Amino acid sequence: MTDYAKLFRLDGKHALVIGAGSGIGRESALALSAHGAQVTCADRDLAAAESTASTRDLTIAGELGAPDISAYQLDILDDDAIIRAAAELDPVDVLVFTAATNVRKRILDYTNDEFDRVVSLNLRASFQLIRAFGKQMAERGSGSIIGFSSIRGTTVEPGQSVYAATKAGLVQLLRTAAAELGPSGVRANAIAPGVVETPLTAQIKANPAWYDAYAQKGALSRWAQPSELAGAVVYLASDASSFVTGSVLAVDGGWTAVDGRFDPPN
């Protein structure tokens, strides 16, 4: 009989969170740890990763047998660094990657260097992470890969071309991973956030009209906090989603469900 009280527990699992130094990655790492996982907080900024690792509730961290949470410096634009991490770290049961960048420009204004920068981090690095850690998971016969797409993977606006293309591409990359690695017991899913207050969206928050327009687009009429994405990560990492793979979980406050910004009269 299934013990539903433990459905979301991650005891005995090792989760690697890429981009754990801030925003959604930081909250994901803390949530996974709170549910019993051993967590490695990986980030290009080691000090930021260490800050996340040291934030965990001291009463939890001090308990006998509490899972370990540690920091690891990792630049995912460096292929060799990814390969080295896969060899150095304890076997990874849950891979979460949140790191992304965006250059908000119209297509005709984009430079080749800007295109390469966005694609390299948002898509190519994801490809390398899936290959390095997915291979190990497949060899062990289990694992969960969780990547962060976006509402921009399905809905676009002017100035979001390359970012949107990478987020749509990531969905298809994860679906293919689900198809190829599924027979080996590995699941792969995407989370598609709406507007979330993170360092990546600081430019929008600084413009009140832009910020308010985005807030009103969703059904909940507000922005999300990074912590509101953590539940989706725990779900996809845990046995609660044991039959979920190749899926896109929208955590967007109803953004992609609501048609337009005008509320017509009855």
Side-chain angles (χ1 to χ4, degrees), residues 116-151:
D116 289 343
R117 189 194 332 156
V118 176
V119 172
S120 292
L121 181 58
N122 294 7
L123 195 56
R124 187 179 189 280
S126 300
F127 174 71
Q128 299 290 28
L129 287 167
I130 292 169
R131 289 211 300 175
F133 292 97
K135 180 178 185 294
Q136 293 184 346
M137 290 177 180
E139 290 172 349
R140 294 195 310 274
S142 66
S144 176
I145 299 171
I146 304 166
F148 271 80
S149 180
S150 167
I151 53 172

Side-chain angles (χ1 to χ4, degrees), residues 99-119:
T101 191
N102 191 8
V103 176
R104 296 177 181 276
K105 282 187 176 181
R106 306 291 174 114
I107 291 174
L108 300 185
D109 297 326
Y110 240 87
T111 68
N112 290 340
D113 286 345
E114 289 167 339
F115 177 92
D116 289 343
R117 189 194 332 156
V118 176
V119 172

Side-chain angles (χ1 to χ4, degrees), residues 195 211-224 252-255 258 261 263:
V195 287
Y211 181 89
D212 290 343
Y214 273 21
Q216 295 306 312
K217 171 61 178 73
L220 299 180
S221 300
R222 65 175 178 85
W223 283 56
D252 64 0
W255 181 293
V258 177
R261 296 186 176 94
D263 187 9

Side-chain angles (χ1 to χ4, degrees):
M1 181 177 293
T2 300
D3 186 352
Y4 291 114
K6 296 181 179 179
L7 201 56
F8 292 89
R9 294 296 303 175
L10 296 166
D11 304 279
K13 302 290 186 182
H14 175 210
L16 172 62
V17 182
I18 312 291
S22 64
I24 296 170
R26 174 186 173 90
E27 300 304 324
S28 297
L30 295 174
L32 291 167
S33 176
H35 283 78
Q38 172 195 346
V39 178
T40 298
C41 303
D43 202 284
R44 183 175 60 181
D45 183 345
L46 180 59
E50 289 173 337
S51 175
T52 298
S54 65
T55 297
R56 186 176 57 175
D57 188 338
L58 294 177
T59 61
I60 295 176
E63 290 180 0
L64 183 63
D68 179 52
I69 182 167
S70 59
Y72 185 88
Q73 187 170 30
L74 178 59
D75 181 356
I76 59 174
L77 292 175
D78 182 343
D79 293 347
D80 291 336
I82 292 175
I83 294 171
R84 189 164 55 249
E88 291 178 349
L89 295 172
D90 291 341
V92 172
D93 303 294
V94 179
L95 172 66
V96 182
F97 46 96
T98 68
T101 191
N102 191 8
V103 176
R104 296 177 181 276
K105 282 187 176 181
R106 306 291 174 114
I107 291 174
L108 300 185
D109 297 326
Y110 240 87
T111 68
N112 290 340
D113 286 345
E114 289 167 339
F115 177 92
D116 289 343
R117 189 194 332 156
V118 176
V119 172
S120 292
L121 181 58
N122 294 7
L123 195 56
R124 187 179 189 280
S126 300
F127 174 71
Q128 299 290 28
L129 287 167
I130 292 169
R131 289 211 300 175
F133 292 97
K135 180 178 185 294
Q136 293 184 346
M137 290 177 180
E139 290 172 349
R140 294 195 310 274
S142 66
S144 176
I145 299 171
I146 304 166
F148 271 80
S149 180
S150 167
I151 53 172
R152 295 302 171 213
T154 53
T155 61
V156 300
E157 67 179 5
Q160 295 273 49
S161 61
V162 182
Y163 179 81
T166 63
K167 292 304 184 179
L170 177 58
V171 168
Q172 295 301 81
L173 187 61
L174 287 164
R175 283 175 170 162
T176 306
E180 294 179 355
L181 302 178
S184 297
V186 181
R187 299 183 295 109
N189 293 284
I191 295 173
V195 287
V196 187
E197 292 193 9
T198 70
L200 191 62
T201 56
Q203 175 188 5
I204 302 174
K205 189 174 182 179
N207 183 323
W210 195 359
Y211 181 89
D212 290 343
Y214 273 21
Q216 295 306 312
K217 171 61 178 73
L220 299 180
S221 300
R222 65 175 178 85
W223 283 56
Q225 295 301 312
S227 59
E228 293 181 286
L229 279 296
V233 174
V234 171
Y235 166 67
L236 291 175
S238 72
D239 287 342
S241 62
S242 59
F243 202 59
V244 178
T245 194
S247 295
V248 182
L249 176 55
V251 188
D252 64 0
W255 181 293
T256 52
V258 177
D259 179 17
R261 296 186 176 94
F262 176 66
D263 187 9
N266 291 328

